[in-house]
Amino acid sequence: MTDSQTLFSDDHAAAADAADPLRGFRERFHLPRIDGVEQAYFVGNSLGLQPRQARAHVEDVLDKWAMEAVEGHFRGNSQWMTYHALLGAQLAEVVGAEPTEVVAMNSLTANLHLMMVSFYRPTAARPAVLIEAGAFPSDRYAIESQIRFHGFDPATDLIEVAPGDDGLFGIERVAEAIATHGHRLALVLWPGVQYRTGEAFDLSEIVRLAHGAGAVVGFDLAHAAGNLPLRLHDSDADFAVWCHYKYLNSGPGAVAGAFVHARHATTDRPRFAGWWGHDAATRFQMGPRFEPTPGADGWQLSNPPILGLAPLRASLDLFTEAGMPALRAKSERLTGYLEALIGAGLSDVLDIVTPADPARRGAQLSLRVRGGRERGRALFEHLAGVGVLGDWREPDVIRISPVPLYNTHADLLRFARAVAQWSGAR
Ligand SMILES: *Cc1c(COP(=O)(O)O)cnc(C)c1O
């Protein structure tokens, strides 16, 4: 154990940062400044920072449009006709899938709807969807509306698993719910990382349990993609959806992602179709009959927003260069340091909600401020005032997500000192 005084020293943080093999990646991002002060930015779980290279990729598209107009679809390496395919292999690597299992398209919620059209097929005997209580509202709205769309009733057919008193589920609660409701479940839709608490789940184990009960399994990976090393293909999940503006640094409202397992590549399940999902080889024969492209590409609706995809290229290049194993190793070090700082000097102010076991969390720690909402808001405002940016979740939680691509031990020390200064504890 490193003693408290050492943990809170500049030398300790500086030495850890100097020894970091990924230290060079920070300068590949724009770090936000407010009133000239560089932020200690811990909100990469909400909006990831802009890769410096993103602008060049966007400008390439603008230039191509200006110079070549419609011919831009067909000319050069980054022609628009095959632009989304430039991303496939790198994106697949980030989520542990085969390139034909992933596609960048639409937004997260739109993709969740499209996936549910194919993979939520309720019957009178099996109408139900299992989700976590306190799910992200958009997911809940989407699921409820799908249940109603099929003529079923969310009051009985949306089953919400309650967490324990500590707000966490553990695999035990998932297993218990599946054992109880399994015979009625059409679909289990579970988060890779729960957005409020930062609790991470063993995807393979959830798939094993749900498939064992005869249900289809989908994952919302909004807080897991680009955060944890995922093995989506091996997990055997039926589908997954995620966004690219959080840990994947592709800008506000960025084009999202979807995964469809290879075993569904040529499924005859129903789907909502569009021309971009049609077999690419014959798409421009413009025939009346829809023949889907095998794999995840077959769920595309429209020709993709190339300007929206451009920043994702810049981001994925960084993920490829750094590699998920190295990113995860650094992420564990950073989050472990944050945890140690809190344990050593801030535990009279903050309780850690997120599991202590690194295998059950990603980058984020959710911190409950002792003393209730007013006190919590006051601390949050203080931190923001000194350029330390986390995010606030009602009623009393501050989420801090050190991101291994651009955060440092020095950032975390800044956070800890700001909390200590506010509380007068040090
Ligand atoms: C961020 C997030 C969303 C956002 O949905 P959009 O369709 O991208 O606006 C949805 N679900 C979860 C769990 C999220 O964390």
Side-chain angles (χ1 to χ4, degrees):
M1 283 294 288
T2 315
D3 67 68
S4 154
Q5 210 175 345
T6 306
L7 281 175
F8 274 82
S9 72
D10 288 311
D11 286 352
H12 178 81
D17 287 332
D20 167 20
L22 300 182
R23 63 186 175 281
F25 282 88
R26 180 178 170 94
E27 60 196 42
R28 316 266 296 265
F29 288 86
H30 290 285
L31 293 160
R33 291 173 176 274
I34 294 183
D35 300 333
V37 181
E38 190 171 285
Q39 304 269 292
Y41 188 84
F42 298 116
V43 209
N45 60 344
S46 184
L47 184 71
L49 295 182
Q50 182 184 136
R52 288 186 180 273
Q53 202 53 33
R55 184 179 298 271
H57 283 295
V58 172
E59 282 180 356
D60 272 353
V61 179
L62 288 171
D63 288 345
K64 206 170 174 60
W65 177 24
M67 313 280 286
E68 302 174 17
V70 74
E71 287 299 313
H73 284 103
F74 314 108
R75 287 163 57 162
N77 285 337
S78 52
Q79 57 176 277
W80 306 329
M81 195 59 81
T82 51
Y83 198 94
H84 83 280
L86 293 172
L87 310 166
Q90 288 173 299
L91 186 53
E93 188 69 29
V94 170
V95 296
E98 295 169 4
T100 53
E101 290 177 316
V102 298
V103 60
M105 61 179 187
N106 311 316
S107 63
L108 186 162
T109 307
N111 288 343
L112 179 56
H113 276 298
L114 292 177
M115 291 295 114
M116 286 188 77
V117 164
S118 295
F119 294 103
Y120 171 52
R121 305 298 303 158
T123 61
R126 265 187 191 273
V129 182
L130 189 84
I131 64 170
E132 92 273 25
F136 195 90
S138 195
D139 299 51
R140 200 179 184 290
Y141 304 154
I143 295 163
E144 256 201 49
S145 65
Q146 287 272 344
I147 292 172
R148 286 209 178 85
F149 175 77
H150 286 283
F152 293 96
D153 182 0
T156 50
D157 302 329
L158 178 58
I159 300 172
E160 296 175 276
V161 183
D165 293 337
D166 56 4
L168 305 178
F169 295 89
I171 197 71
E172 304 77 23
R173 282 179 183 261
V174 185
E176 206 178 282
I178 292 175
T180 308
H181 303 286
H183 61 288
R184 293 190 67 243
L185 294 180
L187 173 67
V188 173
L189 188 82
W190 207 257
V193 173
Q194 215 285 338
Y195 82 100
R196 210 183 276 273
T197 62
E199 180 178 11
F201 295 93
D202 178 341
L203 306 190
S204 296
E205 185 56 14
I206 290 173
V207 173
R208 194 184 66 77
L209 293 165
H211 280 175
V216 169
V217 191
F219 290 111
D220 183 325
L221 303 176
H223 283 264
N227 176 11
L228 290 169
L230 299 168
R231 304 187 56 174
L232 265 183
H233 176 84
D234 293 344
S235 81
D236 215 29
D238 294 284
F239 72 87
V241 294
W242 60 90
C243 52
H244 287 134
Y245 50 81
K246 293 173 180 168
Y247 291 99
L248 279 145
N249 309 316
S250 299
V255 177
F259 162 90
V260 178
H261 197 278
R263 72 175 168 284
H264 300 301
T266 56
T267 183
D268 52 12
R269 285 170 176 269
R271 74 178 94 192
F272 283 176
W275 75 313
W276 224 254
H278 188 94
D279 184 358
T282 55
R283 184 185 295 142
F284 285 91
Q285 293 172 12
M286 301 301 217
R289 215 172 70 84
F290 177 70
E291 286 160 14
T293 293
D297 279 0
W299 274 263
Q300 295 175 104
L301 298 180
S302 302
N303 78 98
I306 304 297
L307 283 166
L309 287 174
L312 181 55
R313 283 185 74 185
S315 176
L316 288 173
D317 282 345
L318 297 174
F319 276 88
T320 301
E321 196 180 326
M324 278 312 288
L327 286 167
R328 173 59 174 164
K330 177 174 174 188
S331 176
E332 288 188 29
R333 287 196 298 277
L334 285 177
T335 302
Y337 180 52
L338 173 58
E339 183 179 40
L341 286 167
I342 292 168
L346 309 173
S347 53
D348 51 346
V349 187
L350 300 170
D351 285 316
I352 302 177
V353 175
T354 309
D357 177 1
R360 289 182 62 203
R361 69 187 185 200
Q364 168 185 331
L365 290 186
S366 298
L367 307 172
R368 176 162 292 123
V369 185
R370 293 193 170 199
R373 185 178 187 282
E374 288 308 302
R375 198 155 180 271
R377 278 304 303 184
L379 172 57
F380 180 72
E381 305 289 346
H382 170 77
L383 291 173
V386 296
V388 175
L389 216 67
D391 79 352
W392 176 254
R393 281 289 168 260
E394 295 291 349
D396 55 4
V397 168
I398 297 174
R399 301 187 308 178
I400 297 290
S401 300
V403 169
L405 274 171
Y406 48 76
N407 282 124
T408 59
H409 293 76
D411 287 339
L412 289 166
L413 184 54
R414 213 173 131 191
F415 163 80
R417 282 186 176 149
V419 175
Q421 179 205 23
W422 175 82
S423 74
R426 296 187 70 83

